[in-house]
Amino acid sequence: MSEEIQSGLIRISDDVVSTIAGLAALETPGIAAMSGGISEGLAKRLSGKNVQRGVSVEVGQVEAAIDLRVIVNYGSSIPEVCRDLQQNVQEAVENMTGLTVVEVNVKVEGVAFREEEPTTAVDDPQRVR
């Protein structure tokens, strides 16, 4: 008795690829945040809660193209950070999905300056305790 094994179609959602790409981007040294885009006002800094922001993807059956909008840390070499970003995103998406990433386009929309932490003096007489 022979059994015929039927193969099904595996389709990976654009949202899944966007999430993978966004997480890989945020893990790249020199990337401060993903950008929501100029259309949303000034470039917003977004936490990891909404990693799909700043990521656009086109996913076919075997290939994917990814566009990223990012904010880079001040003092970082932008070309070097972007090359690392492209490589990290490509590797993450290809390893997790099996898709071939044909391009990773990066648009740097801002530079993040390190925010200075406010200092409070212990002996400040005007400080409410």
Side-chain angles (χ1 to χ4, degrees):
M1 180 174 172
S2 66
E3 292 183 16
E4 185 176 326
I5 300 174
Q6 294 186 3
S7 296
L9 176 66
I10 298 173
R11 175 86 170 114
I12 298 173
S13 167
D14 292 4
D15 289 343
V16 171
V17 176
S18 292
T19 300
I20 294 167
L23 289 170
L26 290 173
E27 291 175 354
T28 302
I31 298 297
M34 303 303 292
S35 174
I38 301 303
S39 63
E40 295 180 21
L42 294 176
K44 292 181 181 179
R45 294 181 194 174
L46 303 169
S47 67
K49 294 178 183 175
N50 194 353
V51 294
Q52 292 178 0
R53 267 252 168 82
V55 181
S56 300
V57 299
E58 291 181 38
V59 180
Q61 290 185 356
V62 295
E63 294 179 336
I66 302 167
D67 296 322
L68 303 170
R69 295 183 314 272
V70 298
I71 299 171
V72 177
N73 288 323
Y74 177 78
S76 300
S77 168
I78 293 175
E80 190 174 311
V81 168
C82 290
R83 279 192 295 274
D84 292 345
L85 173 61
Q86 289 172 317
Q87 183 177 4
N88 290 348
V89 169
Q90 180 177 1
E91 288 176 2
V93 171
E94 288 181 349
N95 290 338
M96 291 187 72
T97 65
L99 295 168
T100 300
V101 176
V102 293
E103 62 185 25
V104 178
N105 301 309
V106 179
K107 181 177 183 184
V108 178
E109 291 192 341
V111 176
F113 298 94
R114 209 176 328 168
E115 294 181 19
E116 294 181 22
E117 294 182 19
T119 57
T120 56
V122 177
D123 297 326
D124 188 356
Q126 296 179 5
R127 180 87 178 144
V128 177
R129 297 186 198 264

